[in-house]
Amino acid sequence: MSLLANILGFSIFGLAARLGQLGIQRRPLTSNPIGHLVAMGTFGFGGYWAVVWDERAAVILAEKRAEIAERRRKLIEKADAEAAAALES
């Protein structure tokens, strides 16, 4: 549902931007309804890619955190092994 909500939210923002543009130009708000659809579609597409980017970033971050945890575990094991070897000597 987050994907749909994000697309709809961005589309509504695109419509608001279009209406604001026409208001600044002092043109009738219903002068070109195709322009409204283009703005809503463009912003909705941006909303879709925002969700996709967020999901990809979450996966990449999880992978990096796992790599960092593995490196830390190996360093701790190496330090423990060196400390044990130093105590035996």
Side-chain angles (χ1 to χ4, degrees), residues 74-89:
K74 287 181 181 179
L75 283 173
I76 290 171
E77 287 176 357
K78 182 179 176 183
D80 287 344
E82 289 175 357
L87 286 176
E88 290 176 0
S89 307

Side-chain angles (χ1 to χ4, degrees), residues 16-86:
R18 173 70 176 162
L19 294 176
Q21 174 191 22
L22 292 175
I24 290 172
Q25 295 175 355
R26 295 180 187 238
R27 291 174 44 197
L29 298 181
T30 58
S31 66
N32 186 8
I34 299 298
H36 298 344
L37 294 176
V38 169
M40 290 177 72
T42 303
F43 277 81
F45 188 69
Y48 168 76
W49 278 107
V51 171
V52 170
W53 179 80
D54 188 43
E55 290 172 355
R56 287 182 185 172
V59 169
I60 291 170
L61 285 174
E63 290 173 355
K64 292 295 181 182
R65 285 183 180 137
E67 288 175 12
I68 290 170
E70 181 65 22
R71 268 191 250 133
R72 286 180 182 167
R73 186 187 59 78
K74 287 181 181 179
L75 283 173
I76 290 171
E77 287 176 357
K78 182 179 176 183
D80 287 344
E82 289 175 357

